[in-house]
Amino acid sequence: MEQQTLGFIGLGRMGGPMSGRLLAAGHDVTVYDVSEAAIDRAVAQGAIRAASPKAVAAAADVVLTSLPTPQILKEIALGADGVAQGSRAKILLDVSTTGPSMAKTIAAGLAEHGKQWAECPVSGGIKGATEGTLALMVSCPNATFEIVQPIVANFGKVFHVGEEPGLGEVVKLANNMLAAAAIFLTAEAMAMGVKAGIDPRVMLDIINLSTGRNSASQDKFPRAVLPGTFDFGFATALSYKDVRMCVDESETLGVPMVGGALIRQILAITNSKYGPDSDFTCMAKLVEDWSGVEIRG
Ligand code: NAD
């Protein structure tokens, strides 16, 4: 298939390495970010600088977005200087986590400009974005999928969840609620062990060979809690946004989400105590504070 000219808006923790992979694969990539430093990093890797989302969409066939919130995505997609106003682009391919209801709104707004929405929320963190080992949850019509599939295949394993806007987002929100819950519950279990006098490294090794193992015990605690660095790479504000959208969507569908609602409140507390820019592993710091022990090893 003919190589598509690409655009990339939002060159942060995820968008930086993902746009880097597209450049390394030989794509032309035109980029935009509010951060000049982020643009400079991409240009140093071979990207072309653009002055606005509209300018990106004037230069590229497919525009990817990796942005922090649904509202920012809406402005970038449908705002006065947005992708919808760009003459060339036919597809906006969002790799952020922006929720099912915004997916539907933006799909409808783009359609008014003769453009197609494709969503591809991702899981696997900065490491997965850098190494190309993300899980990719694509939702878009089959004809659009044929165009975006070879692009997103640069990022990891591709799943075509469905054709309707929002379906990939539902899977992503479910996953992120579970990932956040794992951090909180693992912190409670570990704090209990430490307070009883058990070496947290030994306790974690046992759990990771036992039925309680999970993504926090296997990855986040060894990398960001036991060393006391709390720097896994995902902001508390973003995790809070995801779990909030997850509980809202679940309630909209008539599915009670009692556990998820609890995690939403834990993230609300973490967000106000440690700040929106703190790492979401600070949920464990909260539990440490409550229990009067540190989970270090
Ligand atoms: P980030 O904050 O590191 O990056 C966001 C980028 O968007 C920044 O470079 C910022 O300058 C830019 N930006 C903000 N407002 C802008 C605007 N108006 N116009 C242009 N650029 C703008 O966030 P991130 O961790 O890379 O996450 C991006 C998205 O990916 C989020 O939706 C997040 O939920 C999702 N996500 C993150 C991870 C992770 O581990 N970090 C994993 C999976 C999914």
Side-chain angles (χ1 to χ4, degrees), residues 9-16 32-35 38 41 53 66-69 72 75-76 95-98 121-126 134 172 176 232-235 238-239 241-242:
I9 302 173
L11 307 161
R13 291 182 185 89
M14 296 297 284
Y32 174 72
D33 194 296
V34 280
S35 156
R41 279 193 295 274
S66 178
L67 294 160
T69 70
I72 291 175
E75 182 62 27
I76 294 287
V95 297
S96 337
T97 309
T98 39
V122 308
S123 181
I126 299 169
L134 296 169
K172 172 63 180 165
N176 278 25
F232 187 75
F234 190 50
L238 297 185
S239 180
K241 162 207 56 139
D242 292 349

Side-chain angles (χ1 to χ4, degrees), residues 203-226:
M203 184 157 170
L204 212 50
D205 286 347
I206 295 168
I207 289 171
N208 284 335
L209 269 181
S210 306
T211 50
R213 67 179 171 272
N214 60 69
S215 60
S217 69
Q218 292 180 303
D219 197 9
K220 281 145 198 147
F221 275 62
R223 270 168 57 185
V225 178
L226 263 60

Side-chain angles (χ1 to χ4, degrees), residues 182-201 203-204 207 221 225-226 283-296:
I183 295 175
F184 179 64
L185 291 175
T186 303
E188 289 192 331
M190 292 295 295
M192 175 178 76
V194 170
K195 198 141 196 186
I198 301 162
D199 179 342
R201 185 71 255 177
M203 184 157 170
L204 212 50
I207 289 171
F221 275 62
V225 178
L226 263 60
M283 275 187 279
K285 237 188 211 180
L286 191 67
V287 173
E288 289 180 344
D289 193 39
W290 290 345
S291 52
V293 292
E294 288 191 339
I295 307 164
R296 298 286 175 280

Side-chain angles (χ1 to χ4, degrees), residues 4-10 22 28-32 50 52-67 73 76-77 82-96 110 115-120 147-148 151-152 155:
Q4 304 276 342
T5 299
L6 304 179
F8 210 113
I9 302 173
L22 296 174
D28 288 335
V29 186
T30 300
V31 298
Y32 174 72
S52 69
K54 180 180 171 182
V56 173
D61 302 307
V62 179
V63 178
L64 292 89
T65 47
S66 178
L67 294 160
L73 173 70
I76 294 287
V83 172
Q85 306 299 326
S87 50
R88 177 166 174 176
K90 289 282 171 286
I91 298 171
L92 191 159
L93 170 58
D94 182 40
V95 297
S96 337
L110 288 171
K115 299 189 195 302
Q116 182 72 50
W117 162 261
E119 77 207 34
C120 176
I147 299 168
V148 301
I151 301 168
V152 295
F155 305 142

